[in-house]
Amino acid sequence: MRSPNGSEVDELWLSLREAHVREHSPERTAMLAEAVREADRLDVPRATFLSRRLLAEARRLDGQWDQVRQLLAECLDEYDQRTWRFERADEIDLLNWYVWLIECMVDFPDITLDDIRDALHDVERRFSSAALPWHQIFSARRGVAAHLGDWAAADEAHLRWTATAPADEDDRWLDLTTIDYLLKKGETAHALQVAAPMLDDPRVSSKPVVLARVLTLLPLARAGEWRQASLAYRRLRRGMSGQFHSLEHFGQLIEFCALTGNLGAGVDWLDALRGFERRQRPFATMELATSAAVLADALVRAGRGDTVLDLGPDDPCSVPYRDLARRMRSLALDLADQFDQRNGNSVQGNRIRARLAAEPMTGFLPLGPTSRPPLRLLPPPGLSAENLLDRAVWHDLRCEADEARACLTVVSDDLPPHLDARLVELRAKFFQSENTEPALRHAIRVHRDHGDESRALLAECWLGLWVSHTGRAEEAITTVTEAVERLRRLGDDSACAWGEYWLAYLLTSQGAHTNALDALSRGRRHAESASDHLALGTLLVLDTALRPSYATATAALDALIAAEAPEKALEALEHVTQHGAYLEVVDKILANPPHDAARLVGRLRYLRACALIEAGRPADAVDDLNEAIGQAALRDNDTAEQWYQLACANLAADRHEDAVDASQRAAEVFAHLAATHDEAWTEHADQARYLLAESYRLLGDHRAALREYRGLANGNGALAATAFVTGTALLEELGIPDWPNH
């Protein structure tokens, strides 16, 4: 073999250094695979090991454990044949890697216990031959024994592991291992005591601190340490978002959210299911499947069983939560059975079954100042089919579509004809398709056959709207006009009010505003005669949309508040705010807030917060903003601008922990808008990111602050220079020489 060219060797080392500092990605893995090939070709002794070691870690992150084992086998073979090629540091690294991989063998049920014990004996021999201390050997012994539930052997190994700890090893890593071990033994109080210093650390970038929070998240909640659990979750969200972590770590967050009533937050973490069964580590698959099953079961109980998890059209997990719950439960129990068969006991199966049967730890744990209990979509239990249908109509008229659909999901399909017609009509409205028109015509016939003329005529009004939607405007106007005329002859004022509303709505869509206003006037008289505040408010909202009027808008708002229809009242409020005197209305309503109208009150408080900000009092706006954003988020109506306002207000109030969360959320949403809608949002994302860096700095998490400053400084946005100067000043303050070292 020819001697390698010096420049080629230099190039190899340069590529290894570049790959080493890069964030993990498929491109980095490919770069390392090429480095392995080059190291072999050039026959550079140290590079052949280091390139394989780095590639193995990349393959582990990719879940390709067969290739991890293959790379170790290649390195061991090289070590056995040509030990002299390994420097002492590389020899130690290789053997520690080997013993760590042996401890991981328990995660694969197809590897027998005899294979694991033989590998342990082999590595013990190698450690002795290399004159290495057995600290890592005892770690592997403890890990294997704990997996098997052999606590006597595990305790002995743990004591010897503790006694042989190197003097220069990071105490946080030692504590982390102890925390994990104590939790597996069930010694939760002791584990939390050991974890306390790391849990109090505000930093989110320190890996041992992040892992300590992962391990203690559920135990904190089970111990009733709600404030600590909530804070740990918030810090984990910052530290784990966009980072590579083990599947079981994501599972801990999912399970925590499921058992604390934060189902929406749990769903946000289900991205970890994307292709997770291809990651080749059955223990992690079992752990994540268990957590996903716990969350999916909770979603089914909350009435979201028919909602589809969307991980992409080709992902097998993109199914309704009801199906996901069954699939994940079956997968977890099947894997647990495989482990128990290999282990010769039921330790893993019992543990998984206990988790699957766990009851919620609390109805709802707030995860931050903007966190609010989820909307109750399911109707109260015990309602008859007729009551459920009445309730669905009631929710529909109040613009509460999610609650209306939830009522329909629990109505039996086995109904008498007159109730079945109502169900058919409602489904035609909520789940529109090419079958909507024939379904509505069928419902109208059945209503009429059973003597329910008012319902039939109101359904005809809605049919007219659908006919208009299909482009048959003249037929639509004739249908609705005739239906409303017949409603008037029936003398049912409430039905007449709604009929006139639908007629006005249709006429408005056709540009016939004068005729629409006439219909609104008639409808208003009928609504007032029937004392139907909901119909009256609805008519007034359309009226003020056609001819803006402060008096009409406030009358609509008052009527809808009286009707206890907060979602519709929000629409009226938007018309009120188009007039300069709207703050008088805000203050008046907030002085005596309506009952059961949290979203409306939240919007009113947002308007008050904006006034405080404009008056130069952002710190005083924090509580109002928290309530406003919390309520808006329940129906996904929160905005990036609101989160940015909250971040600024939190900074003004010296609430740095809260400022971090708000600015991170604002940056994420702005960045999404820039990527999916308009690049102009990038400037707003940079402003939020700079605010995030400042919040981290004031909180004391300098590493996270520098990460954000550096990201901005490396870009070409308007804040790049400012971020560079601010970050450099922070580096000098901390005594750190330059960017690359942090």
Side-chain angles (χ1 to χ4, degrees), residues 192-253:
L192 295 179
Q193 182 181 1
V194 175
M198 284 193 279
L199 295 178
D200 290 338
D201 191 332
R203 293 176 296 173
V204 299
S205 306
S206 169
K207 190 169 183 179
V209 173
V210 170
L211 294 178
R213 291 186 184 121
V214 171
L215 291 174
T216 58
L217 184 60
L218 277 163
L220 281 168
R222 291 196 177 98
E225 299 286 350
W226 303 119
R227 188 194 69 80
Q228 276 278 57
S230 174
L231 184 57
Y233 176 84
R234 292 170 64 186
R235 290 172 171 173
L236 279 172
R237 186 186 179 280
R238 302 173 208 152
M240 291 180 66
S241 292
Q243 301 295 315
F244 284 87
H245 290 275
S246 298
L247 293 180
E248 56 264 53
H249 295 161
F250 288 112
Q252 292 288 302
L253 274 72

Coordinates of all heavy atoms in Angstrom, one line a residue, residues 192-253:
L192 N -35.4 12.3 44.4 CA -35.8 13.7 44.2 C -34.8 14.6 45.1 O -34.5 15.7 44.7 CB -37.2 14.0 44.6 CG -38.3 13.3 43.7 CD1 -39.7 13.6 44.2 CD2 -38.1 13.7 42.3
Q193 N -34.4 14.0 46.2 CA -33.4 14.8 47.0 C -32.1 14.9 46.3 O -31.5 16.0 46.3 CB -33.2 14.0 48.4 CG -32.3 14.7 49.3 CD -32.1 13.9 50.6 OE1 -32.7 12.8 50.8 NE2 -31.3 14.5 51.5
V194 N -31.6 13.8 45.7 CA -30.4 13.9 44.9 C -30.5 14.8 43.7 O -29.6 15.6 43.4 CB -30.0 12.5 44.5 CG1 -28.7 12.6 43.6 CG2 -29.7 11.6 45.7
A195 N -31.7 14.8 43.1 CA -31.9 15.6 41.9 C -32.1 17.1 42.2 O -32.0 17.9 41.3 CB -33.1 15.1 41.2
A196 N -32.4 17.5 43.4 CA -32.9 18.9 43.8 C -31.9 19.9 43.2 O -32.4 20.9 42.6 CB -33.0 19.0 45.3
P197 N -30.6 19.8 43.4 CA -29.7 20.9 42.8 C -29.8 21.1 41.3 O -29.8 22.2 40.8 CB -28.3 20.4 43.3 CG -28.5 19.5 44.4 CD -29.8 18.8 44.1
M198 N -30.0 20.0 40.6 CA -30.1 20.1 39.2 C -31.4 20.6 38.8 O -31.6 21.4 37.8 CB -29.8 18.7 38.5 CG -28.3 18.4 38.4 SD -27.9 17.0 37.4 CE -28.3 15.6 38.4
L199 N -32.5 20.3 39.5 CA -33.8 20.8 39.2 C -33.9 22.3 39.4 O -34.7 23.0 38.8 CB -34.9 20.0 40.0 CG -35.0 18.5 39.7 CD1 -36.1 17.9 40.7 CD2 -35.4 18.3 38.3
D200 N -33.1 22.8 40.4 CA -33.1 24.2 40.6 C -32.3 25.0 39.6 O -32.4 26.2 39.6 CB -32.6 24.5 42.0 CG -33.6 24.0 43.1 OD1 -34.8 23.9 42.8 OD2 -33.1 23.7 44.3
D201 N -31.5 24.3 38.8 CA -30.6 25.0 37.9 C -31.5 25.5 36.7 O -32.2 24.8 36.1 CB -29.6 23.9 37.3 CG -28.5 24.6 36.5 OD1 -28.7 25.6 35.9 OD2 -27.4 24.0 36.5
P202 N -31.4 26.8 36.4 CA -32.3 27.4 35.4 C -31.8 27.0 34.0 O -32.5 27.3 33.0 CB -32.1 28.9 35.6 CG -30.8 29.1 36.2 CD -30.6 27.9 37.1
R203 N -30.6 26.4 33.8 CA -30.1 26.2 32.5 C -30.9 25.1 31.8 O -31.3 24.1 32.4 CB -28.6 25.8 32.5 CG -27.7 26.9 33.0 CD -26.3 26.5 33.1 NE -26.2 25.5 34.2 CZ -25.0 24.8 34.5 NH1 -24.0 25.0 33.7 NH2 -25.0 23.9 35.5
V204 N -31.1 25.2 30.5 CA -31.8 24.2 29.7 C -30.9 23.5 28.7 O -31.4 22.6 28.0 CB -33.0 24.8 28.9 CG1 -34.0 25.5 29.9 CG2 -32.5 25.9 27.9
S205 N -29.6 23.9 28.6 CA -28.8 23.3 27.6 C -27.8 22.3 28.2 O -27.2 21.5 27.4 CB -27.9 24.4 26.9 OG -28.8 25.4 26.4
S206 N -27.7 22.2 29.5 CA -26.8 21.2 30.1 C -27.4 19.8 30.0 O -28.5 19.6 30.6 CB -26.6 21.6 31.6 OG -25.9 20.6 32.3
K207 N -26.8 18.9 29.4 CA -27.4 17.6 29.1 C -27.7 16.8 30.4 O -28.8 16.3 30.5 CB -26.4 16.7 28.3 CG -27.1 15.5 27.8 CD -26.3 14.8 26.7 CE -27.0 13.5 26.1 NZ -26.3 12.9 25.1
P208 N -26.8 16.7 31.4 CA -27.2 16.0 32.6 C -28.4 16.7 33.3 O -29.3 16.0 33.9 CB -26.0 16.1 33.5 CG -25.1 17.1 32.9 CD -25.4 17.2 31.5
V209 N -28.5 18.0 33.3 CA -29.6 18.7 33.9 C -30.9 18.3 33.1 O -32.0 18.1 33.8 CB -29.4 20.2 33.9 CG1 -30.6 20.9 34.4 CG2 -28.2 20.5 34.8
V210 N -30.9 18.3 31.8 CA -32.0 18.0 31.0 C -32.5 16.5 31.3 O -33.7 16.3 31.6 CB -31.7 18.1 29.5 CG1 -32.8 17.5 28.7 CG2 -31.5 19.5 29.1
L211 N -31.5 15.6 31.4 CA -31.9 14.2 31.7 C -32.4 14.0 33.1 O -33.3 13.2 33.3 CB -30.7 13.3 31.4 CG -30.2 13.2 30.0 CD1 -29.0 12.4 29.9 CD2 -31.3 12.7 29.1
A212 N -31.9 14.8 34.0 CA -32.4 14.7 35.4 C -33.9 15.2 35.4 O -34.7 14.6 36.1 CB -31.6 15.6 36.3
R213 N -34.2 16.2 34.7 CA -35.6 16.6 34.6 C -36.5 15.6 33.9 O -37.7 15.3 34.4 CB -35.7 17.9 33.8 CG -35.1 19.1 34.6 CD -35.4 20.4 33.8 NE -34.7 21.5 34.5 CZ -33.8 22.3 34.0 NH1 -33.4 22.1 32.7 NH2 -33.2 23.3 34.7
V214 N -36.0 14.9 32.9 CA -36.8 13.9 32.2 C -37.1 12.8 33.2 O -38.2 12.3 33.3 CB -36.0 13.3 31.0 CG1 -36.7 12.1 30.5 CG2 -35.9 14.3 29.9
L215 N -36.1 12.3 34.0 CA -36.3 11.2 34.9 C -37.2 11.5 36.0 O -38.0 10.7 36.5 CB -34.9 10.8 35.5 CG -33.9 10.1 34.5 CD1 -32.6 9.9 35.2 CD2 -34.4 8.8 34.0
T216 N -37.2 12.8 36.5 CA -38.0 13.1 37.7 C -39.3 13.8 37.4 O -40.1 14.1 38.3 CB -37.2 14.1 38.6 OG1 -36.8 15.3 37.8 CG2 -35.9 13.4 39.1
L217 N -39.6 14.0 36.1 CA -40.9 14.7 35.8 C -42.1 14.0 36.3 O -42.9 14.6 37.1 CB -41.0 14.8 34.2 CG -42.1 15.6 33.7 CD1 -42.1 17.1 34.2 CD2 -42.1 15.6 32.2
L218 N -42.3 12.7 36.0 CA -43.4 12.0 36.5 C -43.4 11.8 38.0 O -44.4 12.0 38.7 CB -43.6 10.7 35.7 CG -44.3 10.8 34.4 CD1 -44.0 9.5 33.6 CD2 -45.8 11.0 34.6
P219 N -42.2 11.4 38.6 CA -42.1 11.3 40.0 C -42.5 12.5 40.8 O -43.1 12.5 41.8 CB -40.7 10.8 40.2 CG -40.3 10.1 39.0 CD -41.0 10.9 37.9
L220 N -42.1 13.7 40.3 CA -42.4 15.0 40.9 C -43.9 15.1 41.0 O -44.5 15.5 42.0 CB -41.8 16.1 40.2 CG -40.3 16.4 40.4 CD1 -39.8 17.4 39.4 CD2 -40.1 17.0 41.8
A221 N -44.6 14.8 39.9 CA -46.1 14.9 39.8 C -46.7 13.9 40.8 O -47.6 14.3 41.5 CB -46.6 14.7 38.4
R222 N -46.2 12.7 40.8 CA -46.8 11.7 41.6 C -46.6 12.0 43.1 O -47.4 11.6 44.0 CB -46.2 10.3 41.3 CG -46.6 9.8 40.0 CD -46.3 8.3 39.9 NE -46.8 7.8 38.6 CZ -46.1 7.6 37.5 NH1 -44.8 7.8 37.6 NH2 -46.6 7.1 36.4
A223 N -45.5 12.8 43.4 CA -45.3 13.2 44.8 C -46.0 14.4 45.2 O -45.9 14.9 46.3 CB -43.8 13.4 45.0
G224 N -46.8 15.0 44.2 CA -47.6 16.2 44.5 C -46.8 17.4 44.5 O -47.3 18.5 44.9
E225 N -45.6 17.4 43.9 CA -44.7 18.6 43.8 C -45.1 19.3 42.5 O -44.4 19.3 41.5 CB -43.3 18.2 43.8 CG -42.8 17.5 45.0 CD -42.6 18.4 46.2 OE1 -42.7 19.7 46.0 OE2 -42.5 18.0 47.3
W226 N -46.3 19.9 42.5 CA -46.9 20.4 41.3 C -46.1 21.5 40.7 O -45.9 21.6 39.5 CB -48.3 20.8 41.5 CG -49.2 19.7 42.0 CD1 -49.9 19.7 43.2 CD2 -49.5 18.5 41.4 NE1 -50.6 18.5 43.4 CE2 -50.4 17.8 42.3 CE3 -49.1 17.9 40.2 CZ2 -50.9 16.5 41.9 CZ3 -49.6 16.6 39.9 CH2 -50.5 15.9 40.7
R227 N -45.7 22.5 41.6 CA -44.9 23.6 41.0 C -43.6 23.2 40.4 O -43.3 23.6 39.3 CB -44.7 24.6 42.2 CG -44.1 26.0 41.7 CD -43.5 26.8 42.8 NE -42.3 26.2 43.4 CZ -41.1 26.3 42.8 NH1 -40.9 26.9 41.7 NH2 -40.1 25.7 43.4
Q228 N -42.9 22.3 41.1 CA -41.6 21.8 40.6 C -41.9 21.0 39.3 O -41.1 21.1 38.3 CB -41.0 20.9 41.6 CG -40.1 21.7 42.6 CD -38.8 22.0 42.1 OE1 -38.6 22.7 41.1 NE2 -37.7 21.6 42.8
A229 N -42.9 20.2 39.2 CA -43.2 19.4 38.0 C -43.5 20.3 36.8 O -43.0 20.1 35.7 CB -44.3 18.5 38.3
S230 N -44.3 21.3 37.1 CA -44.7 22.3 36.0 C -43.4 23.0 35.5 O -43.2 23.2 34.3 CB -45.7 23.3 36.5 OG -46.0 24.3 35.6
L231 N -42.6 23.5 36.4 CA -41.4 24.2 36.0 C -40.4 23.3 35.3 O -39.8 23.7 34.3 CB -40.7 24.8 37.3 CG -39.5 25.6 37.0 CD1 -39.8 26.8 36.1 CD2 -38.9 26.1 38.3
A232 N -40.3 22.0 35.7 CA -39.4 21.1 35.1 C -39.9 20.8 33.6 O -39.1 20.8 32.7 CB -39.4 19.7 35.8
Y233 N -41.2 20.7 33.5 CA -41.8 20.5 32.1 C -41.5 21.7 31.2 O -41.1 21.5 30.1 CB -43.3 20.3 32.2 CG -43.9 20.2 30.8 CD1 -43.9 19.0 30.1 CD2 -44.4 21.3 30.1 CE1 -44.4 18.9 28.8 CE2 -44.9 21.2 28.9 CZ -44.9 20.0 28.2 OH -45.4 19.9 26.9
R234 N -41.7 22.9 31.7 CA -41.4 24.1 30.9 C -40.0 24.2 30.5 O -39.7 24.5 29.3 CB -41.8 25.4 31.7 CG -43.3 25.5 32.0 CD -43.5 26.6 33.0 NE -43.1 27.9 32.4 CZ -43.2 29.1 33.1 NH1 -43.5 29.0 34.4 NH2 -42.8 30.2 32.6
R235 N -39.1 23.8 31.4 CA -37.6 23.9 31.0 C -37.3 22.7 30.1 O -36.4 22.9 29.2 CB -36.8 23.8 32.3 CG -36.9 25.1 33.1 CD -36.2 25.0 34.5 NE -36.2 26.3 35.1 CZ -35.8 26.5 36.4 NH1 -35.4 25.5 37.1 NH2 -35.7 27.7 36.9
L236 N -38.0 21.6 30.2 CA -37.7 20.5 29.3 C -38.2 20.9 27.9 O -37.6 20.5 26.9 CB -38.4 19.2 29.7 CG -37.7 18.4 30.8 CD1 -38.6 17.3 31.3 CD2 -36.4 17.8 30.3
R237 N -39.3 21.6 27.8 CA -39.8 22.0 26.5 C -38.8 22.8 25.8 O -38.6 22.7 24.6 CB -41.1 22.7 26.6 CG -41.8 23.0 25.3 CD -43.0 23.9 25.4 NE -43.6 24.2 24.1 CZ -43.1 25.1 23.3 NH1 -42.1 25.9 23.6 NH2 -43.7 25.3 22.1
R238 N -38.1 23.7 26.5 CA -37.1 24.5 25.9 C -35.9 23.7 25.6 O -35.3 23.8 24.5 CB -36.6 25.6 26.9 CG -37.7 26.5 27.3 CD -37.2 27.5 28.4 NE -38.2 27.9 29.3 CZ -38.0 28.2 30.6 NH1 -36.8 28.1 31.1 NH2 -39.0 28.6 31.4
G239 N -35.5 22.8 26.5 CA -34.2 22.1 26.3 C -34.3 20.9 25.3 O -33.3 20.5 24.7
M240 N -35.5 20.4 25.1 CA -35.7 19.2 24.2 C -36.2 19.5 22.8 O -36.1 18.7 21.9 CB -36.5 18.2 24.9 CG -35.9 17.5 26.1 SD -36.9 16.3 26.9 CE -37.0 15.0 25.6
S241 N -36.8 20.7 22.7 CA -37.4 21.0 21.4 C -36.3 21.1 20.3 O -35.3 21.8 20.4 CB -38.1 22.4 21.4 OG -39.3 22.3 22.2
G242 N -36.6 20.3 19.2 CA -35.6 20.3 18.1 C -34.3 19.6 18.4 O -33.4 19.5 17.5
Q243 N -34.2 18.9 19.5 CA -33.0 18.1 19.8 C -33.2 16.6 19.7 O -34.4 16.2 19.7 CB -32.6 18.5 21.3 CG -32.3 19.9 21.5 CD -31.1 20.4 20.7 OE1 -30.1 19.8 20.7 NE2 -31.3 21.6 20.1
F244 N -32.1 15.9 19.6 CA -32.2 14.4 19.5 C -32.2 13.8 20.9 O -31.3 14.1 21.7 CB -31.1 13.9 18.7 CG -31.2 14.1 17.2 CD1 -30.8 15.3 16.6 CD2 -31.9 13.1 16.4 CE1 -31.0 15.5 15.2 CE2 -32.0 13.3 15.0 CZ -31.6 14.5 14.4
H245 N -33.2 13.1 21.2 CA -33.3 12.4 22.5 C -33.8 11.0 22.3 O -34.5 10.7 21.3 CB -34.2 13.2 23.5 CG -33.6 14.5 23.9 ND1 -32.8 14.6 25.0 CD2 -33.8 15.7 23.4 CE1 -32.4 15.9 25.1 NE2 -33.0 16.6 24.2
S246 N -33.6 10.2 23.3 CA -34.1 8.8 23.2 C -35.7 8.8 23.2 O -36.3 9.7 23.8 CB -33.6 8.0 24.4 OG -32.2 7.9 24.4
L247 N -36.2 7.8 22.6 CA -37.7 7.7 22.4 C -38.3 7.7 23.8 O -39.4 8.3 24.0 CB -38.0 6.4 21.7 CG -37.7 6.4 20.2 CD1 -38.1 5.1 19.6 CD2 -38.3 7.6 19.4
E248 N -37.7 7.0 24.8 CA -38.4 6.9 26.1 C -38.4 8.2 26.8 O -39.3 8.5 27.6 CB -37.7 5.8 27.0 CG -36.2 6.0 27.2 CD -35.4 5.1 26.2 OE1 -35.7 5.2 25.0 OE2 -34.6 4.3 26.7
H249 N -37.4 9.1 26.5 CA -37.5 10.4 27.1 C -38.7 11.2 26.6 O -39.3 11.9 27.3 CB -36.2 11.2 26.7 CG -35.0 10.5 27.4 ND1 -33.7 10.8 26.9 CD2 -34.9 9.6 28.4 CE1 -32.8 10.1 27.7 NE2 -33.5 9.4 28.6
F250 N -38.9 11.2 25.3 CA -40.1 11.8 24.7 C -41.4 11.2 25.3 O -42.4 11.8 25.6 CB -40.2 11.7 23.2 CG -39.2 12.6 22.5 CD1 -38.1 12.1 21.8 CD2 -39.3 14.0 22.6 CE1 -37.2 12.9 21.2 CE2 -38.4 14.8 22.0 CZ -37.3 14.3 21.3
G251 N -41.3 9.9 25.6 CA -42.4 9.2 26.2 C -42.7 9.7 27.6 O -43.9 9.8 27.9
Q252 N -41.7 10.1 28.3 CA -41.9 10.6 29.7 C -42.8 11.9 29.6 O -43.7 12.1 30.4 CB -40.6 10.9 30.3 CG -39.8 9.6 30.7 CD -40.4 8.9 31.8 OE1 -40.6 9.4 32.9 NE2 -40.7 7.6 31.6
L253 N -42.5 12.7 28.6 CA -43.2 14.0 28.5 C -44.7 13.7 28.1 O -45.6 14.3 28.5 CB -42.5 14.9 27.5 CG -41.4 15.8 28.1 CD1 -40.2 15.0 28.4 CD2 -41.1 16.9 27.1

